[in-house]
Amino acid sequence: MELSGSVWMRRVGMLSARRSLLHLAATQFHSSSTNFLASPPLSFPFLTKFLGPSSRCISFSTHSSAAPLPSTLHQDDLFTSPVGDDEKKAESPKKGSKVILKGLTYPEVEKWVQSHGYRPGQALMLWKRLYGNNVWASCYEELEGLNKDFKKMLGEHADFKALSLKDIHTASDGTRKILFTLEDGLIIETVVIPCERGRTTVCVSSQVGCAMNCQFCYTGRMGLQRNLSTAEIVEQAVLARRLLSSEVGSITNVVFMGMGEPLHNFENVLKASEIMVDEQGLHFSPRKVTVSTSGLVPQLKRFLRESNCALAVSLNATTDEVRNWIMPINRKYKLGLLLETLREELCARQNYKVLFEYVMLAGVNDSTEDAKRLIDLVQGIPCKINLISFNPHCGSRFKPTKEDKMIQFRNVLAEAGCIVFLRWSRGDDQMAACGQLGKPGEIHAPLLRVPAQFQAALGASI
Ligand code: SF4
């Protein structure tokens, strides 16, 4: 058990604690069947005290066999913040009376510049200085060649910075982890991964922490603290180029695989990716900007319809039973629904392949049966599959699959005609690898109980 009811209460506030307690209460009564949470019993008076009289209305069932949550509980109680379909609109890019330039798309910059009495041509010159190679201006003093009055206006009315550099850690394989401080003092991490084939990738964060509580992920342990603004996302890519291009070469690819579930911050992520692919600015190819999701089906559908960037889906299991445990989002959007949605959405798209990510966890999802099920699951979906070596972290209960077993798994998929790649760990000696970002505070998001058949593989106990 990672948290007591009262500590969790302080951590997430009364409202969300009430939701968590509802969930704890439900799972206590379902522990023999669903095995969700490893938690000591909470007494009924304790629950009633914090949940209020309405908690008396919860109907609990004690029968076995995959019982659903009581109808009075919402599925979102499985996460560390609500997982709604009604995403907030992109935040207004303003700091005080100043507009935050990196939160604006080019048409918005043009409109804003015109509203201050300047020509669209000057907007383009500004845009090129914000995002053009070897400029990446981070204050108005760096805007060489612009009209003096225009610069003065920008100094008075525009803000150039969303992030402050805190530190850069270099791993033994050359991967860099950049730590940025946000305006409110929170810290985010961005990773730059140089590759020998002339391709360098920046992995950006979209949230501080994450609500999805994937059990193998260190970031998930933090819970969700807040969404990043469009400017905070865009500036990670800009500063990665500004700070590291001379050392690592041109940064050609962006992956939204840092801290957070990108599609849980839909509007800001969509807008940031639009800014990143602008041909007059950062000019990443849309095929080289990949947004990853744990499987938020409505947002995924919307993303495929509204964006021309690439999509990655973090799959990681071949049965609902395993996925319900290691990725609680699966309890809301089941594997069948997720894959059927992809099948339907992609059937009419030309030259588009979704990338499935599959983190290999020893004894959990790496059997030959899993490989065969995976082949069946992705039938009819244009896709590539990345088999990713699990990166252990402090407190993680999972173990990485051995190399020879990963190769064997890959071979089963390849023989069936799948496009499949093995991805080894990068940057893990600096906690810069996939699933290792962030820093949980004293209080962690809840660990879910290990299903009985996997306890031996994890060396866990109920
Ligand atoms: S794997 Fe991604 S979605 Fe899951 S908890 Fe980690 S950051 Fe969030």
Side-chain angles (χ1 to χ4, degrees):
M1 174 62 182
E2 294 289 311
L3 78 173
S4 69
S6 57
V7 175
W8 183 243
M9 185 85 65
R10 283 200 300 277
R11 166 74 172 76
V12 295
M14 288 300 285
L15 239 177
S16 52
R18 187 174 185 276
R19 300 158 54 83
S20 301
L21 286 167
L22 279 163
H23 174 54
L24 281 171
T27 51
Q28 290 294 324
F29 285 80
H30 284 283
S31 60
S32 62
S33 55
T34 48
N35 288 335
F36 288 166
L37 287 174
S39 49
L42 298 175
S43 67
F44 196 76
F46 173 85
L47 290 170
T48 322
K49 179 177 170 193
F50 287 106
L51 302 179
S54 64
S55 60
R56 294 178 197 280
C57 308
I58 302 170
S59 62
F60 295 105
S61 107
T62 52
H63 59 77
S64 59
S65 86
L69 291 172
S71 57
T72 44
L73 286 181
H74 194 277
Q75 291 279 11
D76 288 351
D77 294 316
L78 297 162
F79 311 102
T80 53
S81 89
V83 183
D85 302 340
D86 50 336
E87 295 304 315
K88 283 186 200 140
K89 290 283 166 220
E91 289 148 32
S92 169
K94 282 234 167 190
K95 194 191 283 177
S97 62
K98 291 188 170 185
V99 71
I100 302 173
L101 288 173
K102 292 198 183 91
L104 301 178
T105 59
Y106 180 68
E108 288 172 341
V109 168
E110 201 178 60
K111 209 167 150 194
W112 180 78
V113 164
Q114 283 181 289
S115 74
H116 283 268
Y118 294 90
R119 289 176 290 107
Q122 283 165 305
L124 185 58
M125 287 166 79
L126 166 63
W127 186 259
K128 287 185 171 177
R129 278 152 186 80
L130 288 177
Y131 298 120
N133 269 354
N134 303 318
V135 188
W136 304 300
S138 63
C139 57
Y140 78 97
E141 290 91 342
E142 291 179 352
L143 299 172
E144 281 177 23
L146 291 194
N147 169 299
K148 213 171 146 196
D149 284 349
F150 184 46
K151 263 173 83 168
K152 187 166 174 276
M153 183 281 285
L154 291 169
E156 284 166 6
H157 297 288
D159 196 274
F160 287 72
K161 264 174 70 116
L163 304 172
S164 304
L165 177 66
K166 180 174 161 61
D167 213 344
I168 302 180
H169 302 297
T170 305
S172 55
D173 63 8
T175 299
R176 309 315 200 264
K177 179 162 87 171
I178 313 173
L179 277 68
F180 292 113
T181 308
L182 309 177
E183 275 284 307
D184 52 11
L186 293 170
I187 310 278
I188 55 162
E189 299 181 355
T190 306
V191 179
V192 175
I193 311 150
C195 173
E196 280 156 14
R197 286 166 283 152
R199 184 187 69 189
T200 294
T201 299
V202 57
C203 174
V204 298
S205 293
S206 54
Q207 297 179 313
V208 185
C210 183
M212 297 299 128
N213 199 16
C214 300
Q215 295 293 289
F216 49 83
C217 174
Y218 197 54
T219 312
R221 310 288 292 125
M222 295 173 71
L224 177 63
Q225 298 188 18
R226 75 164 169 89
N227 280 340
L228 296 187
S229 67
T230 302
E232 287 164 339
I233 299 170
V234 169
E235 201 161 80
Q236 292 174 66
V238 175
L239 289 179
R241 277 190 169 169
R242 182 176 164 128
L243 294 165
L244 294 173
S245 285
S246 59
E247 288 175 40
V248 301
S250 172
I251 295 177
T252 51
N253 294 44
V254 183
V255 291
F256 283 75
M257 296 180 188
M259 298 162 68
E261 157 58 63
L263 298 189
H264 199 199
N265 183 13
F266 190 91
E267 300 294 342
N268 290 324
V269 163
L270 196 73
K271 194 170 178 187
S273 61
E274 201 181 313
I275 294 169
M276 287 175 186
V277 302
D278 189 287
E279 290 175 13
Q280 304 282 355
L282 291 169
H283 198 188
F284 287 100
S285 157
R287 282 185 304 114
K288 294 183 176 179
V289 175
T290 304
V291 173
S292 174
T293 180
S294 57
L296 298 182
V297 170
Q299 290 89 336
L300 169 155
K301 218 174 189 174
R302 223 188 118 191
F303 177 82
L304 286 171
R305 291 175 184 186
E306 294 179 26
S307 173
N308 56 355
C309 292
L311 177 74
V313 174
S314 202
L315 203 61
N316 305 327
T318 61
T319 64
D320 280 324
E321 187 192 13
V322 174
R323 206 163 188 269
N324 283 348
W325 161 41
I326 64 174
M327 300 183 72
I329 188 65
N330 197 71
R331 302 178 193 189
K332 185 166 170 115
Y333 304 115
K334 298 273 182 235
L335 259 180
L337 175 69
L338 172 64
L339 297 168
E340 197 44 42
T341 303
L342 287 168
R343 213 167 270 121
E344 280 169 15
E345 292 296 318
L346 296 183
C347 68
R349 275 185 87 147
Q350 300 290 321
N351 301 323
Y352 191 97
K353 287 187 174 64
V354 64
L355 174 67
F356 286 119
E357 297 168 293
Y358 196 93
V359 175
M360 299 205 63
L361 307 168
V364 172
N365 63 1
D366 61 351
S367 67
T368 308
E369 287 68 40
D370 280 303
K372 289 178 181 163
R373 272 195 296 268
L374 186 52
I375 294 164
D376 287 342
L377 288 173
V378 303
Q379 280 296 322
I381 304 174
C383 67
K384 297 177 279 184
I385 301 170
N386 271 353
L387 302 177
I388 301 166
S389 162
F390 171 63
N391 302 300
H393 47 79
C394 161
S396 82
R397 300 174 294 175
F398 298 97
K399 298 184 184 78
T401 297
K402 293 205 165 44
E403 201 175 311
D404 56 342
K405 197 155 186 196
M406 281 183 72
I407 293 170
Q408 207 181 322
F409 196 97
R410 189 266 318 264
N411 291 347
V412 175
L413 296 179
E415 279 160 23
C418 298
I419 304 170
V420 55
F421 305 95
L422 290 171
R423 299 283 182 225
W424 308 112
S425 206
R426 296 292 308 267
D428 65 336
D429 57 329
Q430 286 297 336
M431 286 292 283
C434 185
Q436 290 184 326
L437 302 186
K439 195 170 179 194
E442 275 175 35
I443 311 304
H444 296 176
L447 282 177
L448 307 187
R449 181 169 289 173
V450 181
Q453 66 272 38
F454 299 112
Q455 286 177 13
L458 268 62
S461 55
I462 295 180

